[in-house]
């Protein structure tokens, strides 16, 4: 009962286009459901995992901050195709 009530409230509050989950590479929201985007998201996850392991191997604040900023830039540029 609780989950159905939450789902009902979300349908009332969220826009109609968010309920459409069919993949479309040209739509700004539905492109997240395409296989290409899922593969790029997997690559971003792997990059973050490697970055965190490197941060744990070299626990220096400048290295952690620099690597975190570079990994963030790399993830944004990888996931944003336009």
């Amino acid at each position: 009962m609780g989950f159905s009530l939450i789902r009902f409230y979300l349908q009332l509050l969220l826009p109609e286009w968010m309920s459409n989950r069919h993949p479309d590479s040209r739509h700004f929201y539905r492109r997240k459901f395409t296989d290409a985007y899922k593969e790029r998201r997997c690559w971003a996850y792997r990059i973050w995992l490697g970055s965190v392991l490197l941060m744990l191997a070299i626990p220096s604040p400048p290295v952690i901050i620099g690597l975190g900023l570079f990994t963030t830039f790399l993830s944004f540029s990888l996931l944003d195709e336009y």
Side-chain angles (χ1 to χ4, degrees):
M1 167 120 179
F3 292 115
S4 61
L5 188 61
I6 291 173
R7 186 176 295 143
F8 174 71
Y9 285 139
L10 284 177
Q11 286 178 349
L12 287 177
L13 295 175
L14 294 178
E16 183 269 330
W17 50 263
M18 286 190 82
S19 64
N20 190 354
R21 302 256 180 198
H22 297 291
D24 183 12
S25 62
R26 294 182 180 258
H27 193 266
F28 69 96
Y29 175 72
R30 291 184 303 189
R31 72 176 178 187
K32 293 191 283 186
F33 304 115
T34 61
D35 291 333
Y37 187 85
K38 289 178 183 178
E39 187 174 334
R40 287 194 310 267
R41 190 174 58 195
C42 185
W43 272 104
Y45 175 77
R46 291 176 186 158
I47 290 171
W48 271 104
L49 187 62
S51 175
V52 167
L53 290 176
L54 191 60
M55 287 179 195
L56 289 174
I58 308 171
S60 170
V63 171
I64 292 173
I65 292 171
L67 194 57
L69 289 173
F70 178 70
T71 307
T72 302
F73 167 73
L74 201 59
S75 296
F76 280 144
S77 63
L78 182 67
L79 292 177
D80 189 28
E81 60 190 34
Y82 295 109

Coordinates of all heavy atoms in Angstrom, one line a residue:
M1 N 0.8 -1.2 0.0 CA 0.0 0.0 0.0 C 0.9 1.3 0.0 O 0.6 2.2 -0.7 CB -0.9 0.0 1.2 CG -1.6 1.3 1.5 SD -3.3 1.1 1.4 CE -3.8 2.8 1.8
G2 N 2.0 1.2 0.8 CA 2.8 2.4 0.9 C 3.5 2.8 -0.5 O 3.5 3.9 -0.8
F3 N 4.0 1.8 -1.2 CA 4.6 2.0 -2.4 C 3.7 2.5 -3.5 O 4.0 3.3 -4.3 CB 5.4 0.8 -2.9 CG 6.6 0.4 -2.0 CD1 6.6 -0.7 -1.3 CD2 7.6 1.3 -1.9 CE1 7.6 -1.1 -0.5 CE2 8.7 1.0 -1.2 CZ 8.7 -0.2 -0.4
S4 N 2.5 2.0 -3.5 CA 1.5 2.4 -4.5 C 1.1 3.9 -4.2 O 0.8 4.6 -5.2 CB 0.3 1.5 -4.5 OG -0.4 1.5 -3.3
L5 N 1.0 4.3 -3.0 CA 0.7 5.6 -2.6 C 1.8 6.6 -3.1 O 1.5 7.7 -3.6 CB 0.4 5.7 -1.1 CG -0.1 7.1 -0.6 CD1 -1.5 7.4 -1.2 CD2 -0.2 7.0 0.9
I6 N 3.0 6.2 -2.9 CA 4.2 7.0 -3.3 C 4.2 7.1 -4.8 O 4.4 8.2 -5.4 CB 5.5 6.4 -2.8 CG1 5.6 6.6 -1.3 CG2 6.7 7.1 -3.4 CD1 6.8 5.9 -0.6
R7 N 3.9 6.0 -5.5 CA 3.9 6.0 -7.0 C 2.7 7.0 -7.5 O 2.9 7.7 -8.4 CB 3.6 4.6 -7.5 CG 3.7 4.6 -9.0 CD 3.6 3.1 -9.6 NE 4.7 2.4 -9.1 CZ 4.7 1.1 -8.8 NH1 3.6 0.5 -8.8 NH2 5.8 0.5 -8.4
F8 N 1.6 6.9 -6.8 CA 0.5 7.8 -7.1 C 0.9 9.3 -7.0 O 0.6 10.1 -7.8 CB -0.7 7.5 -6.3 CG -1.9 8.4 -6.5 CD1 -2.6 8.4 -7.6 CD2 -2.2 9.4 -5.5 CE1 -3.6 9.3 -7.8 CE2 -3.2 10.2 -5.6 CZ -4.0 10.2 -6.8
Y9 N 1.5 9.6 -5.8 CA 2.0 11.0 -5.6 C 3.0 11.4 -6.7 O 3.0 12.6 -7.1 CB 2.5 11.2 -4.2 CG 1.4 11.2 -3.2 CD1 1.6 10.6 -2.0 CD2 0.3 11.9 -3.4 CE1 0.6 10.6 -1.0 CE2 -0.7 12.0 -2.4 CZ -0.5 11.3 -1.2 OH -1.5 11.4 -0.3
L10 N 3.9 10.5 -7.0 CA 4.9 10.9 -8.1 C 4.2 11.1 -9.4 O 4.7 12.0 -10.1 CB 5.9 9.7 -8.2 CG 7.0 9.7 -7.1 CD1 7.9 8.5 -7.3 CD2 7.8 11.0 -7.0
Q11 N 3.2 10.3 -9.7 CA 2.5 10.6 -11.0 C 1.8 11.9 -11.0 O 1.7 12.6 -12.0 CB 1.5 9.5 -11.3 CG 2.1 8.2 -11.7 CD 1.1 7.1 -11.9 OE1 -0.1 7.3 -11.5 NE2 1.5 6.0 -12.5
L12 N 1.4 12.4 -9.8 CA 0.7 13.7 -9.7 C 1.7 14.8 -9.8 O 1.5 15.9 -10.4 CB 0.0 13.8 -8.4 CG -1.3 13.0 -8.3 CD1 -1.9 13.2 -6.9 CD2 -2.3 13.5 -9.4
L13 N 2.9 14.6 -9.2 CA 3.9 15.7 -9.2 C 4.8 15.8 -10.4 O 5.2 16.9 -10.8 CB 4.7 15.6 -7.9 CG 3.9 15.7 -6.6 CD1 4.8 15.4 -5.4 CD2 3.4 17.1 -6.5
L14 N 5.2 14.7 -10.9 CA 6.2 14.7 -12.0 C 5.5 15.0 -13.3 O 4.4 14.7 -13.5 CB 6.9 13.3 -12.1 CG 7.8 13.0 -10.9 CD1 8.4 11.6 -11.0 CD2 8.9 14.0 -10.7
P15 N 6.3 15.6 -14.3 CA 5.7 15.9 -15.6 C 5.4 14.6 -16.3 O 6.0 13.5 -16.0 CB 6.9 16.6 -16.3 CG 7.9 16.8 -15.3 CD 7.6 16.1 -14.1
E16 N 4.6 14.7 -17.4 CA 4.1 13.5 -18.1 C 5.3 12.8 -18.9 O 5.3 11.6 -19.0 CB 3.0 14.0 -19.1 CG 2.4 12.8 -19.9 CD 3.1 12.6 -21.2 OE1 3.6 13.6 -21.7 OE2 3.1 11.4 -21.6
W17 N 6.2 13.6 -19.4 CA 7.3 13.0 -20.2 C 8.2 12.2 -19.4 O 9.0 11.4 -19.9 CB 8.1 14.1 -21.0 CG 8.5 15.3 -20.1 CD1 7.9 16.5 -20.0 CD2 9.7 15.3 -19.4 NE1 8.6 17.3 -19.2 CE2 9.8 16.6 -18.8 CE3 10.8 14.5 -19.1 CZ2 10.8 17.0 -17.9 CZ3 11.8 14.9 -18.3 CH2 11.8 16.1 -17.7
M18 N 8.2 12.3 -18.1 CA 9.1 11.5 -17.2 C 8.5 10.1 -17.1 O 9.3 9.1 -16.6 CB 9.3 12.1 -15.9 CG 10.3 13.3 -15.9 SD 10.8 13.8 -14.3 CE 12.1 12.6 -13.9
S19 N 7.3 9.9 -17.3 CA 6.7 8.5 -17.2 C 7.0 7.7 -18.5 O 6.8 6.4 -18.4 CB 5.2 8.6 -17.0 OG 4.6 9.2 -18.1
N20 N 7.4 8.3 -19.5 CA 7.7 7.6 -20.8 C 9.1 7.0 -20.7 O 10.1 7.8 -20.6 CB 7.6 8.5 -22.0 CG 7.6 7.7 -23.3 OD1 7.9 6.5 -23.3 ND2 7.4 8.5 -24.4
R21 N 9.3 5.7 -20.7 CA 10.6 5.1 -20.5 C 11.2 4.5 -21.8 O 12.1 3.6 -21.7 CB 10.6 4.1 -19.4 CG 10.1 4.6 -18.1 CD 11.2 4.7 -17.2 NE 10.8 5.3 -15.9 CZ 11.6 5.8 -15.0 NH1 12.9 5.9 -15.3 NH2 11.1 6.3 -13.9
H22 N 10.6 4.8 -22.9 CA 11.1 4.2 -24.2 C 12.4 5.0 -24.6 O 12.4 6.2 -24.6 CB 10.0 4.4 -25.3 CG 8.8 3.6 -25.0 ND1 8.7 2.2 -25.0 CD2 7.5 4.0 -24.7 CE1 7.5 1.8 -24.7 NE2 6.8 2.9 -24.5
P23 N 13.4 4.2 -25.0 CA 14.7 4.9 -25.3 C 14.5 5.7 -26.6 O 13.9 5.3 -27.6 CB 15.6 3.7 -25.6 CG 15.0 2.5 -25.0 CD 13.5 2.8 -25.0
D24 N 15.1 6.9 -26.5 CA 15.1 7.8 -27.7 C 16.4 8.6 -27.6 O 16.6 9.4 -26.6 CB 13.9 8.7 -27.6 CG 13.8 9.6 -28.8 OD1 14.6 9.4 -29.8 OD2 13.0 10.6 -28.8
S25 N 17.3 8.5 -28.5 CA 18.6 9.2 -28.4 C 18.5 10.7 -28.6 O 19.4 11.4 -28.3 CB 19.5 8.6 -29.5 OG 19.0 8.8 -30.8
R26 N 17.4 11.2 -29.1 CA 17.2 12.6 -29.3 C 16.6 13.4 -28.2 O 16.7 14.6 -28.1 CB 16.5 12.9 -30.6 CG 17.2 12.4 -31.9 CD 16.4 12.8 -33.1 NE 17.1 12.3 -34.3 CZ 17.8 13.1 -35.0 NH1 17.9 14.4 -34.8 NH2 18.4 12.7 -36.1
H27 N 15.9 12.6 -27.3 CA 15.2 13.3 -26.2 C 16.2 13.4 -25.0 O 17.0 12.5 -24.7 CB 14.0 12.4 -25.8 CG 13.1 13.1 -24.9 ND1 13.1 13.0 -23.5 CD2 12.0 13.9 -25.1 CE1 12.2 13.7 -22.9 NE2 11.5 14.3 -23.9
F28 N 16.1 14.5 -24.3 CA 17.1 14.8 -23.3 C 17.0 13.9 -22.1 O 17.9 13.7 -21.4 CB 17.1 16.3 -22.9 CG 15.8 16.6 -22.1 CD1 15.8 16.7 -20.7 CD2 14.6 17.0 -22.8 CE1 14.6 17.0 -20.1 CE2 13.5 17.3 -22.2 CZ 13.4 17.3 -20.8
Y29 N 15.8 13.4 -21.8 CA 15.6 12.5 -20.6 C 15.6 11.1 -21.0 O 16.3 10.2 -20.3 CB 14.2 12.8 -20.0 CG 13.9 11.9 -18.8 CD1 14.6 12.0 -17.6 CD2 12.9 11.0 -19.0 CE1 14.3 11.1 -16.6 CE2 12.6 10.1 -17.9 CZ 13.3 10.2 -16.7 OH 13.0 9.3 -15.7
R30 N 15.0 10.7 -22.1 CA 14.9 9.3 -22.5 C 16.2 8.8 -23.1 O 16.3 7.6 -23.4 CB 13.8 9.1 -23.5 CG 12.4 9.3 -22.8 CD 11.3 9.1 -23.7 NE 11.4 9.9 -24.9 CZ 10.4 10.0 -25.8 NH1 9.3 9.3 -25.7 NH2 10.6 10.7 -26.9
R31 N 17.2 9.6 -23.4 CA 18.5 9.1 -23.9 C 19.2 8.3 -22.8 O 20.1 7.5 -23.1 CB 19.4 10.2 -24.4 CG 19.9 11.0 -23.3 CD 20.9 12.1 -23.9 NE 21.4 12.9 -22.8 CZ 22.1 13.9 -23.0 NH1 22.4 14.3 -24.2 NH2 22.5 14.7 -22.0
K32 N 18.8 8.5 -21.5 CA 19.4 7.7 -20.5 C 19.0 6.2 -20.5 O 19.6 5.4 -19.9 CB 19.0 8.2 -19.1 CG 19.6 9.6 -18.8 CD 19.4 10.0 -17.4 CE 18.0 10.4 -17.1 NZ 17.8 11.0 -15.8
F33 N 18.0 5.9 -21.3 CA 17.6 4.5 -21.4 C 18.1 3.8 -22.6 O 17.8 2.6 -22.8 CB 16.0 4.4 -21.4 CG 15.4 5.1 -20.2 CD1 14.7 6.3 -20.4 CD2 15.6 4.7 -18.9 CE1 14.1 6.9 -19.3 CE2 15.1 5.3 -17.8 CZ 14.3 6.4 -18.0
T34 N 18.9 4.4 -23.4 CA 19.5 3.8 -24.6 C 20.7 2.9 -24.2 O 21.3 3.1 -23.1 CB 20.0 4.8 -25.6 OG1 21.0 5.6 -25.0 CG2 18.8 5.7 -26.1
D35 N 21.0 1.9 -25.0 CA 22.1 1.0 -24.7 C 23.5 1.8 -24.8 O 24.4 1.5 -24.0 CB 22.1 -0.1 -25.7 CG 21.0 -1.1 -25.5 OD1 20.5 -1.1 -24.3 OD2 20.6 -1.7 -26.4
A36 N 23.6 2.7 -25.7 CA 24.9 3.5 -25.8 C 25.1 4.3 -24.5 O 26.3 4.3 -24.0 CB 24.8 4.4 -27.0
Y37 N 24.1 4.9 -24.0 CA 24.3 5.7 -22.7 C 24.6 4.8 -21.6 O 25.4 5.1 -20.7 CB 23.0 6.5 -22.5 CG 23.2 7.5 -21.3 CD1 23.7 8.7 -21.5 CD2 22.8 7.1 -20.0 CE1 23.9 9.6 -20.5 CE2 23.0 8.0 -19.0 CZ 23.5 9.2 -19.2 OH 23.7 10.1 -18.1
K38 N 23.9 3.6 -21.5 CA 24.2 2.7 -20.4 C 25.7 2.2 -20.5 O 26.3 2.0 -19.4 CB 23.3 1.5 -20.4 CG 21.9 1.9 -20.1 CD 20.9 0.7 -20.1 CE 19.5 1.1 -19.8 NZ 18.6 0.0 -20.0
E39 N 26.2 2.0 -21.7 CA 27.6 1.6 -21.8 C 28.5 2.7 -21.4 O 29.5 2.4 -20.7 CB 27.8 1.2 -23.3 CG 29.2 0.6 -23.5 CD 29.4 0.1 -24.9 OE1 28.4 -0.3 -25.5 OE2 30.5 0.0 -25.3
R40 N 28.2 3.9 -21.8 CA 29.1 5.1 -21.4 C 29.0 5.3 -19.9 O 30.0 5.6 -19.2 CB 28.6 6.3 -22.1 CG 29.0 6.4 -23.5 CD 28.9 7.7 -24.1 NE 27.6 8.4 -23.9 CZ 26.6 8.3 -24.7 NH1 26.7 7.6 -25.8 NH2 25.4 8.9 -24.4
R41 N 27.8 5.0 -19.3 CA 27.7 5.1 -17.8 C 28.6 4.1 -17.1 O 29.2 4.3 -16.1 CB 26.2 5.0 -17.4 CG 26.0 5.4 -16.0 CD 24.5 5.4 -15.6 NE 23.9 4.1 -16.0 CZ 22.6 3.9 -16.1 NH1 21.8 4.9 -15.9 NH2 22.2 2.7 -16.3
C42 N 28.6 2.9 -17.7 CA 29.5 1.8 -17.2 C 30.9 2.2 -17.3 O 31.7 2.0 -16.3 CB 29.2 0.5 -17.9 SG 30.1 -0.9 -17.3
W43 N 31.3 2.8 -18.4 CA 32.7 3.3 -18.5 C 33.0 4.4 -17.4 O 34.1 4.4 -16.9 CB 33.0 3.9 -19.9 CG 33.4 2.8 -20.8 CD1 32.7 2.2 -21.8 CD2 34.7 2.2 -20.8 NE1 33.4 1.2 -22.4 CE2 34.7 1.2 -21.8 CE3 35.9 2.4 -20.1 CZ2 35.8 0.4 -22.1 CZ3 37.0 1.6 -20.4 CH2 36.9 0.6 -21.4
A44 N 32.1 5.3 -17.2 CA 32.3 6.3 -16.2 C 32.4 5.7 -14.8 O 33.2 6.2 -14.0 CB 31.1 7.3 -16.2
Y45 N 31.6 4.7 -14.5 CA 31.8 4.0 -13.3 C 33.2 3.3 -13.1 O 33.8 3.4 -12.1 CB 30.7 2.9 -13.2 CG 30.8 2.0 -11.9 CD1 30.4 2.5 -10.7 CD2 31.3 0.7 -12.0 CE1 30.5 1.7 -9.6 CE2 31.4 0.0 -10.9 CZ 31.0 0.4 -9.7 OH 31.1 -0.3 -8.6
R46 N 33.7 2.7 -14.2 CA 35.0 2.1 -14.1 C 36.1 3.2 -13.9 O 37.1 3.0 -13.2 CB 35.2 1.4 -15.4 CG 34.4 0.1 -15.6 CD 34.7 -0.5 -16.9 NE 33.7 -1.6 -17.1 CZ 33.4 -2.1 -18.2 NH1 33.9 -1.6 -19.4 NH2 32.6 -3.1 -18.3
I47 N 35.9 4.3 -14.6 CA 36.9 5.4 -14.4 C 36.9 5.9 -13.0 O 38.0 6.1 -12.4 CB 36.6 6.6 -15.4 CG1 36.9 6.1 -16.8 CG2 37.4 7.8 -15.0 CD1 36.4 7.1 -17.9
W48 N 35.7 6.1 -12.4 CA 35.6 6.5 -11.0 C 36.2 5.4 -10.1 O 36.9 5.8 -9.1 CB 34.2 6.8 -10.6 CG 33.8 8.2 -10.9 CD1 33.1 8.7 -11.9 CD2 34.2 9.3 -10.1 NE1 33.0 10.0 -11.8 CE2 33.7 10.5 -10.7 CE3 35.0 9.5 -9.0 CZ2 33.9 11.7 -10.2 CZ3 35.2 10.8 -8.5 CH2 34.6 11.9 -9.1
L49 N 36.0 4.2 -10.3 CA 36.5 3.1 -9.5 C 38.1 3.1 -9.6 O 38.7 3.0 -8.5 CB 36.0 1.7 -10.0 CG 36.3 0.5 -9.1 CD1 35.8 0.7 -7.7 CD2 35.8 -0.7 -9.7
G50 N 38.6 3.2 -10.7 CA 40.1 3.3 -10.9 C 40.6 4.6 -10.2 O 41.7 4.5 -9.6
S51 N 39.9 5.7 -10.3 CA 40.3 6.9 -9.7 C 40.3 6.8 -8.1 O 41.3 7.3 -7.5 CB 39.4 8.1 -10.1 OG 39.8 9.2 -9.4
V52 N 39.3 6.2 -7.6 CA 39.3 6.0 -6.1 C 40.4 5.1 -5.7 O 41.0 5.3 -4.6 CB 37.9 5.5 -5.7 CG1 37.9 5.0 -4.3 CG2 36.8 6.6 -5.9
L53 N 40.7 4.0 -6.4 CA 41.7 3.1 -6.0 C 43.1 3.9 -6.1 O 43.9 3.7 -5.2 CB 41.8 1.9 -6.9 CG 40.6 0.9 -6.8 CD1 40.7 -0.2 -7.8 CD2 40.6 0.4 -5.4
L54 N 43.3 4.7 -7.0 CA 44.5 5.5 -7.1 C 44.5 6.5 -6.0 O 45.6 6.8 -5.4 CB 44.6 6.2 -8.5 CG 45.9 6.9 -8.8 CD1 47.0 5.9 -8.8 CD2 45.8 7.6 -10.1
M55 N 43.4 7.1 -5.6 CA 43.4 8.0 -4.5 C 43.7 7.3 -3.2 O 44.4 7.9 -2.3 CB 42.0 8.6 -4.3 CG 41.6 9.7 -5.3 SD 40.0 10.3 -5.1 CE 39.6 11.1 -6.6
L56 N 43.3 6.1 -3.0 CA 43.6 5.3 -1.8 C 45.1 4.9 -1.8 O 45.7 4.8 -0.8 CB 42.8 4.0 -1.7 CG 41.3 4.3 -1.4 CD1 40.5 3.0 -1.5 CD2 41.2 4.9 0.0
A57 N 45.7 4.7 -3.0 CA 47.1 4.3 -3.1 C 48.0 5.5 -2.8 O 49.1 5.4 -2.2 CB 47.4 3.8 -4.5
I58 N 47.6 6.7 -3.2 CA 48.4 8.0 -3.0 C 47.5 8.9 -2.2 O 46.8 9.8 -2.7 CB 48.8 8.6 -4.3 CG1 49.4 7.6 -5.2 CG2 49.7 9.8 -4.1 CD1 49.7 8.1 -6.7
P59 N 47.5 8.8 -0.8 CA 46.6 9.6 0.0 C 47.2 11.0 0.3 O 47.4 11.4 1.4 CB 46.5 8.8 1.2 CG 47.7 8.1 1.4 CD 48.2 7.8 -0.1
S60 N 47.4 11.8 -0.8 CA 47.8 13.1 -0.6 C 46.7 14.1 -1.1 O 46.1 13.9 -2.1 CB 49.1 13.3 -1.5 OG 49.4 14.7 -1.6
P61 N 46.4 15.1 -0.3 CA 45.3 16.0 -0.6 C 45.4 16.6 -2.0 O 44.4 16.7 -2.7 CB 45.4 17.1 0.5 CG 46.0 16.4 1.6 CD 47.0 15.4 1.1
P62 N 46.6 17.1 -2.5 CA 46.6 17.7 -3.8 C 46.3 16.6 -4.9 O 45.6 16.9 -5.9 CB 48.0 18.2 -4.0 CG 48.5 18.4 -2.7 CD 47.8 17.4 -1.8
V63 N 46.7 15.4 -4.7 CA 46.5 14.3 -5.7 C 45.0 14.0 -5.6 O 44.3 13.8 -6.7 CB 47.3 13.1 -5.4 CG1 46.9 11.9 -6.2 CG2 48.8 13.4 -5.6
I64 N 44.4 13.9 -4.5 CA 43.0 13.6 -4.3 C 42.1 14.6 -5.0 O 41.2 14.3 -5.7 CB 42.6 13.3 -2.9 CG1 43.3 12.0 -2.4 CG2 41.1 13.2 -2.7 CD1 43.1 11.8 -0.9
I65 N 42.4 15.9 -4.7 CA 41.6 17.0 -5.3 C 41.8 17.1 -6.8 O 40.8 17.2 -7.5 CB 42.0 18.3 -4.6 CG1 41.5 18.3 -3.1 CG2 41.4 19.5 -5.3 CD1 42.0 19.5 -2.3
G66 N 43.0 17.0 -7.2 CA 43.3 17.1 -8.7 C 42.6 15.9 -9.4 O 42.0 16.1 -10.5
L67 N 42.8 14.7 -8.9 CA 42.2 13.5 -9.6 C 40.7 13.5 -9.5 O 40.1 13.2 -10.5 CB 42.8 12.3 -8.9 CG 42.6 11.0 -9.6 CD1 43.2 11.0 -11.0 CD2 43.2 9.8 -8.9
G68 N 40.2 14.0 -8.4 CA 38.7 14.1 -8.3 C 38.1 15.1 -9.3 O 37.1 14.8 -10.0
L69 N 38.8 16.3 -9.5 CA 38.3 17.2 -10.5 C 38.5 16.7 -11.9 O 37.6 16.9 -12.7 CB 39.1 18.6 -10.3 CG 38.7 19.4 -9.0 CD1 39.7 20.5 -8.9 CD2 37.3 19.8 -9.1
F70 N 39.6 16.1 -12.2 CA 39.8 15.6 -13.5 C 38.8 14.4 -13.8 O 38.3 14.4 -14.9 CB 41.2 15.0 -13.7 CG 41.5 14.4 -15.0 CD1 41.6 15.2 -16.1 CD2 41.7 13.1 -15.1 CE1 41.8 14.7 -17.4 CE2 41.9 12.5 -16.4 CZ 42.0 13.3 -17.5
T71 N 38.5 13.6 -12.9 CA 37.6 12.5 -13.1 C 36.2 13.0 -13.3 O 35.4 12.5 -14.1 CB 37.6 11.5 -11.9 OG1 39.0 11.1 -11.7 CG2 36.8 10.3 -12.2
T72 N 35.8 14.1 -12.5 CA 34.5 14.7 -12.7 C 34.4 15.3 -14.1 O 33.4 15.1 -14.8 CB 34.3 15.8 -11.7 OG1 34.4 15.3 -10.4 CG2 33.0 16.5 -11.8
F73 N 35.4 16.0 -14.6 CA 35.4 16.5 -15.9 C 35.3 15.4 -17.0 O 34.5 15.5 -17.9 CB 36.7 17.3 -16.2 CG 36.9 17.7 -17.6 CD1 36.1 18.6 -18.3 CD2 37.9 17.0 -18.3 CE1 36.3 18.9 -19.6 CE2 38.1 17.3 -19.7 CZ 37.3 18.3 -20.3
L74 N 36.1 14.3 -16.8 CA 36.0 13.2 -17.7 C 34.7 12.5 -17.7 O 34.2 12.2 -18.8 CB 37.1 12.2 -17.3 CG 37.6 11.3 -18.4 CD1 38.2 12.0 -19.6 CD2 38.7 10.4 -17.8
S75 N 34.0 12.4 -16.6 CA 32.7 11.8 -16.5 C 31.7 12.6 -17.2 O 30.8 12.1 -18.0 CB 32.3 11.5 -15.1 OG 33.2 10.6 -14.5
F76 N 31.7 14.0 -17.0 CA 30.7 14.8 -17.6 C 30.9 14.9 -19.1 O 29.9 14.8 -19.9 CB 30.8 16.3 -17.1 CG 30.2 16.5 -15.8 CD1 30.7 17.3 -14.8 CD2 29.0 15.8 -15.5 CE1 30.1 17.5 -13.6 CE2 28.3 16.0 -14.3 CZ 28.9 16.9 -13.3
S77 N 32.2 14.9 -19.6 CA 32.4 14.9 -21.0 C 32.0 13.6 -21.7 O 31.6 13.5 -22.8 CB 33.8 15.3 -21.3 OG 34.7 14.3 -20.8
L78 N 32.1 12.5 -20.9 CA 31.8 11.2 -21.5 C 30.3 11.0 -21.5 O 29.7 10.5 -22.5 CB 32.4 10.1 -20.6 CG 32.2 8.7 -21.0 CD1 32.9 8.4 -22.3 CD2 32.7 7.7 -20.0
L79 N 29.6 11.5 -20.5 CA 28.1 11.2 -20.5 C 27.3 12.3 -21.2 O 26.2 12.0 -21.6 CB 27.6 11.2 -19.0 CG 28.1 10.0 -18.2 CD1 27.7 10.1 -16.8 CD2 27.7 8.7 -18.8
D80 N 27.8 13.4 -21.4 CA 27.1 14.5 -22.2 C 27.5 14.4 -23.6 O 28.7 14.8 -24.0 CB 27.4 15.9 -21.6 CG 26.5 16.9 -22.2 OD1 25.4 16.5 -22.6 OD2 26.9 18.1 -22.3
E81 N 26.7 14.0 -24.5 CA 27.1 13.7 -25.9 C 26.9 15.0 -26.8 O 27.3 15.0 -27.9 CB 26.3 12.6 -26.5 CG 24.8 12.8 -26.4 CD 24.1 11.5 -26.8 OE1 24.5 10.4 -26.5 OE2 23.0 11.6 -27.4
Y82 N 26.2 16.0 -26.3 CA 26.0 17.2 -27.1 C 26.9 18.3 -26.7 O 27.2 18.7 -25.7 CB 24.5 17.6 -27.0 CG 23.6 16.6 -27.6 CD1 22.8 15.8 -26.7 CD2 23.5 16.3 -28.9 CE1 21.9 14.9 -27.2 CE2 22.7 15.4 -29.4 CZ 21.9 14.6 -28.6 OH 21.0 13.7 -29.1

